[in-house]
Amino acid sequence: MIRILACLSLIFFLVPVTYVHGPPPPPNDSQIINLQPVEFDASSPERNRTGRLAFLGGWKLTSENSGFGGVSAMLLLPEDRFFMLSDAGVLIGFTLNAELNRAERPFIAPLPDGPPKENPHARLNWDAESLLYDPETQRFWVGFERQHGVWRYSRAFARKESMWRVPAMAKWPINGGAEAMLRLPDGRYLVFSETAEYEKGGSQALIFDGDPSEPGTDSELFGYQPPKGYRLTDATLLPDGSALLLHRRFTPLQGVSAILSIGDPGEIAAGEVWTSRRIALLKPPMKVDNMEALAVSEEMHEGKPATIIWIASDDNFQAIQETILLKFRLLKGRKRPTKKRAAPKTEKAGEGPGSSFLQSEKSGQPEGKQ
């Protein structure tokens, strides 16, 4: 019986929802996002730590909006303003009021543009998996699977500015491309495949010497070796310049788990395999799901500056899974600082569906953090 239930759970985890009886229900465009607090370990309420992560809070996110869910990437701007992106090409934004457990100024809306249909008979598929933001120009970069490309959008996602179906990514598995992206302080970009195998070990990744959404940008191949049995799902930079990487695993008998690790971008070299060191493991009975999105912020904690790590899950649009947002404080450990250099400035762009969300309530000016 246990094996049967495990196999059924695997099917629900991997297979998209289908409607067996009759047509799907009409779309719901509700803009309300509900937050419900969750415990880190319901079986042991006093537990608040795993590895170098100290649990500070968590929420289950729900909405009646038909496009809500499937979170694959996220950004955190000042004043706890979240920008999440789903693997259906839907933007989910809100300001987190942690004291009241409330999502304020929410919006849920599709990207203004995305990859075309693969053929006249195919359905539109905007399988967005990774997201970057440049606070200098207020532009966004989105990595897409299936057609394996990187798109750049103007301020507030007003419009598409450029896109490129990167030839070096063309042979990546249909569901294994552009799972994570990093923009380094020196102006280089890193794009990671989830499952394309690298001949020397691990999975393939690319170093771009400039904007990967601009056709013709030079790139070089390297490998990334994730923890054994895990796959990379997102990456971001820590304040000291180190890379923070999120990985997931699912097995029918052990369920879901996630590993967070830290790597030094200065050790990346074309043609070589890059590795990272584990700092935390999330597994049951800890609160964990299909963890796919990662963000970092800084705030005061007990009178001292602290690095805050946020992790969100992709519910695969399944009723048996959840969209959860977890908040942790990064505890001290061995550090390898990387020198930062400012990226070159470029022109700003126009208004868009995310414009009001990106406006600061205090200053009325858009602001953000990479």
Side-chain angles (χ1 to χ4, degrees), residues 18-289:
T18 57
Y19 295 94
V20 179
H21 300 290
N28 186 317
D29 63 357
S30 170
Q31 297 295 294
I32 298 174
I33 300 173
N34 301 300
L35 268 61
Q36 177 185 346
V38 297
E39 294 182 278
F40 180 54
D41 183 347
S43 68
S44 182
E46 69 280 1
R47 184 178 189 176
N48 67 349
R49 177 172 173 174
T50 176
R52 288 180 56 192
L53 298 183
F55 182 70
L56 297 179
W59 298 266
K60 176 183 175 181
L61 281 61
T62 58
S63 175
E64 294 182 359
N65 189 294
S66 303
F68 183 83
V71 174
S72 291
M74 69 176 169
L75 300 169
L76 178 58
L77 283 69
E79 301 177 11
D80 286 344
R81 299 158 86 151
F82 285 86
F83 226 136
M84 297 177 170
L85 179 62
S86 85
D87 54 18
V90 174
L91 295 165
I92 300 167
F94 62 92
T95 299
L96 174 64
N97 186 328
E99 293 183 0
L100 298 179
N101 298 311
R102 191 164 64 194
E104 300 175 343
R105 299 171 61 204
F107 79 88
I108 304 171
L111 289 168
D113 199 356
K117 291 182 178 181
E118 296 176 41
N119 60 68
H121 307 289
R123 67 181 180 87
L124 200 63
N125 193 320
W126 291 358
D127 191 353
E129 293 291 338
S130 48
L131 176 65
L132 289 177
Y133 174 62
D134 176 16
E136 287 281 340
T137 65
Q138 298 170 29
R139 287 168 166 165
F140 298 85
W141 286 258
V142 173
F144 287 97
E145 284 188 335
R146 299 188 67 84
Q147 297 194 37
H148 298 316
V150 179
W151 289 51
R152 189 182 75 230
Y153 298 86
S154 65
R155 176 185 178 275
F157 282 100
R159 59 184 176 84
K160 177 200 74 177
E161 289 188 336
S162 63
M163 63 78 61
W164 189 29
R165 293 187 65 176
V166 183
M169 297 161 56
K171 293 184 178 180
W172 286 2
I174 195 167
N175 289 319
E179 188 70 23
M181 290 195 295
L182 281 176
R183 181 174 181 266
L184 302 180
D186 61 10
R188 292 181 300 160
Y189 292 73
L190 307 179
V191 179
F192 298 83
S193 167
E194 181 182 7
T195 57
E197 294 183 358
Y198 186 57
E199 60 181 5
K200 295 182 180 180
S203 56
Q204 294 184 26
L206 294 169
I207 311 169
F208 290 85
D209 64 5
D211 188 342
S213 73
E214 292 287 350
T217 302
D218 290 334
S219 66
E220 294 182 288
L221 185 67
F222 72 101
Y224 172 67
Q225 182 65 66
K228 185 177 180 180
Y230 286 78
R231 293 178 177 177
L232 180 69
T233 58
D234 205 0
T236 189
L237 293 180
L238 290 167
D240 69 357
S242 299
L244 186 68
L245 302 109
L246 177 64
H247 314 81
R248 68 172 171 197
R249 184 178 72 170
F250 174 81
T251 66
L253 294 181
Q254 297 179 339
V256 292
S257 60
I259 283 179
L260 206 62
S261 65
I262 291 179
D264 181 0
E267 297 176 350
I268 295 175
E272 301 298 328
V273 178
W274 184 48
T275 60
S276 58
R277 59 193 183 279
R278 189 175 88 176
I279 64 167
L281 169 66
L282 293 170
K283 66 177 183 178
M286 302 176 204
K287 191 66 176 179
V288 64
D289 208 297

